[in-house]
Amino acid sequence: MSIRDRYAPSPTGLQHIGGVRTALFNYLYARAQNGKFILRLEDTDRTRYDAAYVANLYDTFAWLNFSWDEGPDIGGEYKPYIQSERTELYKKYAEELLAKGQAYSCFCSPERLDMVRKEREASHASETGYDRYCRGIDPKEAAQRAKTEPCTIRLKIPLGATTRFSDTLLGDIEWKNDDVNPDPVLLKSDGFPTYHLANIVDDHLMKITHVLRAQEWLSSTPLHVILYKAFGWEPPAFCHLPMVMGQDGKKLSKRHGATSIDEFRKNGYLPDALINYIALLGASYEEGKEIYTLAELAERFSLDKLNKAPAIFDYKKLEWYNALYIRMMDDNKLAQAALPFAINMNLFGNGAPNDKQKNMFAQAMPLVKERAVFLSEIPQKLTYLFSEPPVPAPEEFIPKKSTLEAAIKLLTLGRELLREMAHLDDAGAEELVKVKAESEQVKLGDLLMPLRVAITGARVSPPLFGSVRLLGAESCETRIDRALEKLRG
Ligand code: GLU
C-alpha cells in the first residue's frame, strides 16, 4: 500500500514550532515510505481566518525549503485542497448521514444552546455540551421544518456503545460513546461544515492512509472514528505525536520564548538548523548522531523512531545547532543568508551593497563564522569593516601596567608592519609580529592590542590579521593615524 499523509493547518495563526513539527513528520514519513505528502487548508473557521496566515504558511515552508506533493498551490488529483472551496461536498455528505439516520437536524436557537450550557455549568452536571434536545424529532417532521427553519445537522452518537481504535504510538484506546462530545454539529446553519465533518470527509476522499497529528487532537479521535463508522468508511491509521513542552514541563507557548517560525527567522536562525532540531522533537534516530540533513532524515524516519514521552523544547540546544550550521555553511551562502540582516542595519550605508561591499562581506565570513550564534550577529560584528569606527578613549589602547607613552610607541611600531602584513596569511602575519616584538623587546600581546583597538575600534573583535587583509594597509594606516592623533592629544 502506498501511504498518503497530510498537513492540514487551519490558517488562524502564524506557523509555529508545533505545526511545523507535524508537517515535517508527515513529510518525512511520506518520503521514507515513498508515499505522498499533501497540504490541505482547513479554513472553515471563518471568524478566525486571515489571508495573512495563508501567506505566512507558504512563506514559512518556502523558507524551510520543503514542500508537498499535492496542495492548493500545485493542485493534484483530489483538488481543491482548500476546504472553503469544497462546501457543497460536505453538505452532500452531511445529508447522506441524515438520510441514513446517523445524523439529525437541530433547530435549537443559539439562545437555547447558551441557556442549556449555563444551566449545566451551574448545576455542575457531569455532561457538558448539547442536551440532544432535537434528537427525538421525527425525521419526516424535521425534513419539513428544515425547509423553512434555520437548522444545523448533528451527528447521532450511538449511545451505550464503546469506541475503540489503535494509535500507532499510544496503543489501544477505548472511549465510552456517552462521554464523547454529545451529538456535535457537523454542518452549521450557514451551510459551512465544522472541523470534524470536513476533516473526515477530506481524509476519506483524499485517500489519506495515515493521520500524524498533535496529541491535542486525541480527544477528537473517538468522534472521528464514530463518523467513519457512520459513513461506512475505513478510518486511516492514527498516530498522535508527542507533545512539545517548555523546560518547565508545560505546553510550549509564547511564555517560553519565540514559537512562531517567523520570529526564529527574524532572530537569525537558519532553516536547516531549525529543521534539524525540530526533527528531533519527539523522535530519536541514531545514537550519537546529531546532525541530519532533510534527506538523511527522510531516509531514516519511521513511526517506531517516535518517543512516547513529551519532547522538551530546549532553546539553548537550538542555539547550539544554529551556531553549528553557521560554522558548516559555505562562505558565499552564509553571506547571502546574512545579507538581509546587514542591509536592515544599514551596514553598507543606506540600502543594498555595491559589488565591492558585497565581496568584502562574503570574504569576511571566515572572521565571524566560528563564533556567531545568529545570522543577525554577523553584520553587527563586522561594522568596523564598512565604516571607520570612532576612536576609543586613550585608556583602551594602554596594555596592562603600561603607560600612554608606551601605547603610542607600540602603535607606531605596529603601523610599520602593515604593508607587509596585509599580504600575509595568518601564520605569516603572526611570525612577522613575533619577530618585531622580540627585536623591540616588547610582549607580543602588547604589540597587537593597540593595533587591534585602532583598526577595529575595540579590544575584542574578529581576528585582526584577517581584518587587515580585508581592509588593506592604507585604510588601516589611516585608522592608526587618527588613533595616534587622539593619543598624542
Ligand atoms: N485543522 C486541524 C489543525 O489545525 C487539523 C488537525 C488534524 O490534523 O486533523 O490542526
Side-chain angles (χ1 to χ4, degrees):
M1 175 192 63
S2 160
I3 81 121
R4 290 173 59 80
D5 63 15
R6 54 33 171 208
Y7 178 47
S10 302
T12 52
L14 297 174
Q15 288 299 302
H16 56 86
I17 292 290
V20 168
R21 200 271 310 256
T22 300
L24 180 61
F25 281 19
N26 277 284
Y27 168 88
L28 294 175
Y29 189 50
R31 287 290 84 90
Q33 299 284 321
N34 243 327
K36 291 267 188 287
F37 170 54
I38 290 111
L39 174 73
R40 182 173 74 226
L41 282 190
E42 301 209 324
D43 60 345
T44 54
D45 182 349
R46 300 314 284 182
T47 48
R48 289 166 61 215
Y49 172 88
D50 193 324
Y53 297 137
V54 179
N56 170 261
L57 170 88
Y58 289 122
D59 197 39
T60 301
F61 286 97
W63 181 70
L64 289 171
N65 207 14
F66 75 94
S67 53
W68 30 88
D69 303 304
E70 297 167 26
D73 52 339
I74 53 171
E77 205 178 330
Y78 303 96
K79 69 177 185 201
Y81 294 88
I82 300 183
Q83 290 191 326
S84 59
E85 294 173 12
R86 299 168 65 84
T87 45
E88 280 312 306
L89 262 173
Y90 308 125
K91 201 161 165 242
K92 178 185 133 203
Y93 281 101
E95 278 162 5
E96 183 185 315
L97 286 188
L98 208 55
K100 283 166 110 181
Q102 306 276 10
Y104 61 91
S105 301
C106 170
F107 302 94
C108 293
S109 64
E111 292 74 30
R112 177 171 189 278
L113 294 175
D114 206 40
M115 193 191 74
V116 171
R117 188 180 53 79
K118 282 193 185 131
E119 272 175 9
R120 287 189 157 193
E121 268 171 20
S123 65
H124 302 285
S126 57
E127 262 217 323
T128 52
Y130 185 48
D131 61 356
R132 301 184 165 100
Y133 185 75
C134 293
R135 187 170 164 134
I137 301 175
D138 176 72
K140 279 198 197 105
E141 183 198 329
Q144 269 312 321
R145 283 178 65 182
K147 285 182 189 156
T148 51
E149 281 179 55
C151 60
T152 60
I153 297 182
R154 288 182 182 272
L155 178 66
K156 197 187 266 179
I157 300 260
L159 297 176
T162 299
T163 294
R164 296 184 176 83
F165 63 95
S166 172
D167 182 280
T168 318
L169 185 63
L170 307 172
D172 293 338
I173 292 179
E174 274 194 10
W175 217 288
K176 286 203 179 75
N177 285 5
D178 295 29
D179 295 338
V180 171
N181 178 355
D183 297 358
V185 172
L186 300 177
L187 200 71
K188 295 182 249 181
S189 55
D190 61 3
F192 255 73
T194 56
Y195 153 72
H196 304 294
L197 175 69
N199 185 271
I200 265 53
V201 166
D202 284 350
D203 278 349
H204 173 72
L205 295 180
M206 295 178 183
K207 300 207 164 54
I208 299 301
T209 59
H210 289 74
V211 168
L212 275 57
R213 64 181 170 195
Q215 223 164 84
E216 65 204 66
W217 295 103
L218 184 66
S219 59
S220 298
T221 310
L223 170 59
H224 294 179
V225 173
I226 293 172
L227 255 174
Y228 277 105
K229 240 193 215 145
F231 280 117
W233 297 338
E234 189 64 34
F238 291 104
C239 180
H240 290 87
L241 303 171
M243 300 278 281
V244 182
M245 312 288 211
Q247 299 272 10
D248 58 359
K250 301 214 171 93
K251 194 175 169 232
L252 189 70
S253 75
K254 287 197 186 110
R255 280 182 303 116
H256 296 104
T259 53
S260 79
I261 301 297
D262 234 29
E263 260 173 293
F264 285 105
R265 185 177 175 179
K266 284 187 187 127
N267 292 343
Y269 281 88
L270 285 167
D272 293 355
L274 262 176
I275 287 201
N276 196 146
Y277 184 62
I278 292 175
L280 300 172
L281 285 175
S284 330
Y285 301 88
E286 272 163 48
E287 188 73 36
K289 181 170 160 68
E290 295 195 284
I291 313 296
Y292 297 94
T293 62
L294 197 54
E296 284 175 328
L297 289 165
E299 272 167 30
R300 286 166 176 78
F301 189 89
S302 67
L303 298 182
D304 56 20
K305 303 268 168 56
L306 296 178
N307 308 329
K308 262 192 196 164
I312 306 288
F313 194 87
D314 181 348
Y315 285 90
K316 283 280 163 236
K317 185 76 188 191
L318 176 58
E319 285 182 13
W320 177 83
Y321 269 107
N322 208 49
L324 190 78
Y325 272 84
I326 286 180
R327 255 178 281 149
M328 293 193 309
M329 212 165 170
D330 160 85
D331 288 345
N332 282 319
K333 285 208 177 110
L334 181 60
Q336 220 173 354
L339 200 61
F341 294 93
I343 294 174
N344 210 10
M345 61 168 282
N346 289 330
L347 185 69
F348 313 111
N350 236 343
N354 58 35
D355 285 351
K356 199 175 149 222
Q357 288 171 316
K358 213 171 171 174
N359 255 333
M360 172 109 139
F361 190 60
Q363 283 173 26
M365 292 303 111
L367 302 184
V368 284
K369 72 197 287 188
E370 293 303 318
R371 296 233 178 128
V373 178
F374 307 108
L375 289 176
S376 44
E377 282 176 83
I378 290 178
Q380 280 160 16
K381 287 179 192 276
L382 294 176
T383 45
Y384 71 95
L385 287 183
F386 296 90
S387 50
E388 276 191 18
V391 179
E395 334 43 291
E396 291 298 308
F397 290 84
I398 305 173
K400 248 195 210 142
K401 296 189 207 139
S402 192
T403 61
L404 183 64
E405 288 66 38
I408 294 173
K409 186 180 157 228
L410 288 163
L411 197 51
T412 315
L413 286 175
R415 189 184 188 284
E416 290 165 13
L417 300 174
L418 288 172
R419 296 270 152 179
E420 207 178 333
M421 189 189 282
H423 300 289
L424 295 172
D425 62 10
D426 284 354
E430 179 146 1
E431 189 53 32
L432 179 77
V433 184
K434 230 187 222 161
V435 170
K436 185 82 168 176
E438 267 166 30
S439 72
E440 298 290 336
Q441 303 208 326
V442 294
K443 281 194 209 144
L444 178 70
D446 288 356
L447 184 52
L448 285 173
M449 193 275 263
L451 206 55
R452 179 189 297 278
V453 177
I455 293 171
T456 69
R459 284 193 182 206
V460 181
S461 77
L464 177 63
F465 302 143
S467 305
V468 170
R469 280 195 297 274
L470 280 179
L471 286 165
E474 216 167 296
S475 148
C476 293
E477 283 169 357
T478 314
R479 292 177 184 204
I480 291 173
D481 291 343
R482 281 180 48 231
L484 282 171
E485 209 173 297
K486 181 156 178 178
L487 292 182
R488 290 187 180 122

